[in-house]
Amino acid sequence: MSRVDHTARRWVGRGGTVAFVLAALAVARAIGDDLPQTAERYAEPHLVEVSMGQEADLRLAHVSVDNPRLAASVRGTIDLYETSGVWVIVDVTFTPTVEDAGIGYAELVDTEGRSYRTSRFESNSCRVSQPLITQRCAVALELPVEAVTGAVLRLAADEFRTSYDSMLEVDLGLEAEDATGLSADDAPVVLRQPDLAGTG
Amino acid sequence: MSTWWRRNRWALLALPLVAGALVLVGSYRVHTFWDRWQLTEPVEATAGRPTTFNDTLEDANGSYEVALTVEAGPTTVAGAIRDAEGQTHFFPTHEGTRVWQTELTITADPDTILSGCSARLVDTEGRTTHYTQTTAGVPLPVSPCVPADATGPGAELGFGGDATPAPTRPETFTVPVVFRTAEDFVPNRLDLSWSTPRYLSIQLDVEEGP
């Protein structure tokens, strides 16, 4: 075997390695672009799924939800709120564990993944509470009647920043049929206000 | 395989060192993004003993120094507070909670800007609650560190306009700091801060009442 032959074969071998590495990088990029970004996944709220009435151990508080019901109108301390859809009202009980905390974020997610956030000034009566002081309050969210079946409620501490934080998720177990027969003439559901007036 | 390990032995040995060096090189981020913006530099104090605290603050007119001497009295369960007009307000009672009061005696140059102060109460388990105007159930002053009727000068916030000058603050004054906490929350420290990261951390003398 000549020396020239040997060198040529070595270069072909190197070229093959380079081609393989480039091809592997291209494939990895093509797959990687379609996978969820790890940084985004870390930032997603950490969902803590509980059943109705069961306590969720969130980062800053123990939180539970009960008494889900539907209504055509709700009454806060300031005003009466009507809706062209239907109100979903739940009672919320929470106890901060390490520092002052509240329930700033409330959202309903229907089976299609559509999101319904707090829409009125008094939609969320929860205020900030202090460590170990239990607060009882209410959240009222409005959504179209056809979105009621299978909707889940999500609650978290901060209204604007939910990333990297824990978030309660509870299946409300409500059906669209429950909304039939509701009328704006019915007595409005009165939203539960925190016992400790003027908190937070 | 053994030849591969042998051939790369120095690189393999260096790997943990390089990884360690990378962590060290990136550690400035803790300082840049965390330490400076949190209360991380306590000045230790004890109730009943005057302690001097100073800090460099900044407002729209540039930076300025504050220097003050703080002496905390005993921390007691309070039933009422007397406001600036001398009127007594009773704290509404609420099942499972107590209202704690600590009197601070502060000495500072009346020209020092002291009104932008935050206070937080830390219990023996490290739980914290912040001073707010509303938690006790009666209206409290915005700032827990200056007399409500004689706040002295305020920071220039850069909104323009010139508000009516605040009444002059006496050089030495006593203000009550009030918190509502849960029954099981036993106060341990009272932290006062005007900015981050420096703060005055007072070890409290707690008198658990009847």
Side-chain angles (χ1 to χ4, degrees):
Chain A
M1 192 185 288
S2 74
R3 201 190 176 91
V4 178
D5 252 7
H6 186 76
T7 316
R9 201 178 297 168
R10 210 155 112 193
W11 278 104
V12 168
R14 283 185 182 168
T17 307
V18 169
F20 174 77
V21 168
L22 287 177
L25 284 171
V27 169
R29 161 52 66 90
I31 297 171
D33 281 353
D34 279 340
L35 291 175
Q37 298 296 306
T38 46
E40 290 169 17
R41 292 191 52 192
Y42 293 151
E44 274 174 17
H46 169 67
L47 288 179
V48 181
E49 287 178 41
V50 289
S51 55
M52 195 54 69
Q54 190 192 347
E55 196 170 75
D57 189 1
L58 301 190
R59 188 174 62 89
L60 293 177
H62 297 301
V63 188
S64 66
V65 172
D66 57 23
N67 199 12
R69 54 220 189 271
L70 297 170
S73 60
V74 296
R75 183 177 287 286
T77 52
I78 304 170
D79 212 347
L80 176 76
Y81 302 91
E82 292 178 342
T83 178
S84 53
V86 62
W87 284 109
V88 172
I89 304 105
V90 295
D91 287 348
V92 179
T93 305
F94 72 96
T95 312
T97 46
V98 288
E99 60 182 61
D100 303 335
I103 301 293
Y105 181 91
E107 174 193 29
L108 282 176
V109 182
D110 74 359
T111 50
E112 303 284 312
R114 285 177 295 224
S115 159
Y116 301 91
R117 297 276 304 274
T118 41
S119 50
R120 310 293 180 94
F121 183 60
E122 291 189 86
S123 285
N124 180 355
S125 76
C126 303
R127 298 284 171 269
V128 170
S129 188
Q130 293 94 297
L132 310 180
I133 299 183
T134 299
Q135 185 176 109
R136 295 180 182 83
C137 48
V139 167
L141 297 161
E142 54 185 329
L143 79 175
V145 174
E146 58 270 23
V148 168
T149 307
V152 296
L153 173 75
R154 290 178 180 171
L155 300 175
D158 193 300
E159 183 176 3
F160 304 107
R161 293 193 312 182
T162 53
S163 49
Y164 301 102
D165 203 353
S166 50
M167 181 182 274
L168 173 146
E169 182 177 286
V170 59
D171 189 340
L172 296 171
L174 294 170
E175 304 278 346
E177 293 84 72
D178 301 340
T180 51
L182 290 177
S183 149
D185 299 331
D186 298 343
V189 166
V190 177
L191 290 179
R192 185 160 78 171
Q193 301 297 320
D195 314 324
L196 201 58
T199 306
Chain B
M1 201 54 177
S2 66
T3 50
W4 185 88
W5 288 102
R6 185 187 292 271
R7 187 150 42 89
N8 294 303
R9 61 185 181 278
W10 295 115
L12 285 166
L13 277 174
L15 196 59
L17 298 175
V18 171
L22 277 174
V23 170
L24 283 180
V25 167
S27 62
Y28 75 93
R29 296 173 67 90
V30 175
H31 175 73
T32 309
F33 296 116
W34 180 260
D35 281 358
R36 287 170 56 193
W37 311 106
Q38 306 291 326
L39 298 179
T40 48
E41 283 179 27
V43 172
E44 302 287 342
T46 306
R49 243 176 276 165
T51 305
T52 302
F53 177 80
N54 45 52
D55 199 0
T56 307
L57 310 180
E58 211 169 296
D59 70 2
N61 292 336
S63 66
Y64 56 94
E65 297 282 328
V66 294
L68 64 160
T69 303
V70 181
E71 181 183 344
T75 301
T76 53
V77 175
I81 192 171
R82 191 180 281 265
D83 69 12
E85 284 82 43
Q87 201 175 348
T88 302
H89 297 272
F90 289 92
F91 299 121
T93 52
H94 182 71
E95 184 77 22
T97 72
R98 292 186 283 196
V99 175
W100 294 95
Q101 176 175 311
T102 309
E103 290 204 327
L104 300 177
T105 301
I106 299 178
T107 305
D109 179 350
D111 293 332
T112 319
I113 303 169
L114 290 184
S115 51
C117 152
S118 313
R120 68 174 187 189
L121 196 64
V122 185
D123 84 345
T124 46
E125 308 284 320
R127 294 179 280 238
T128 58
T129 184
H130 285 82
Y131 173 87
T132 73
Q133 281 180 273
T134 52
T135 48
V138 304
L140 294 173
V142 183
S143 170
C145 302
V146 290
D149 57 343
T151 54
E156 176 56 58
L157 300 176
F159 297 136
D162 205 25
T164 47
T168 317
R169 198 177 59 220
E171 188 166 340
T172 299
F173 54 91
T174 299
V175 282
V177 188
V178 168
F179 295 90
R180 186 187 290 274
T181 72
E183 200 76 58
D184 297 336
F185 185 108
V186 180
N188 182 38
R189 307 192 79 92
L190 174 63
D191 294 341
L192 298 178
S193 63
W194 281 261
S195 175
T196 56
R198 271 175 78 79
Y199 67 104
L200 184 69
S201 184
I202 306 166
Q203 177 71 49
L204 294 174
D205 167 21
V206 179
E207 290 177 3
E208 290 217 48

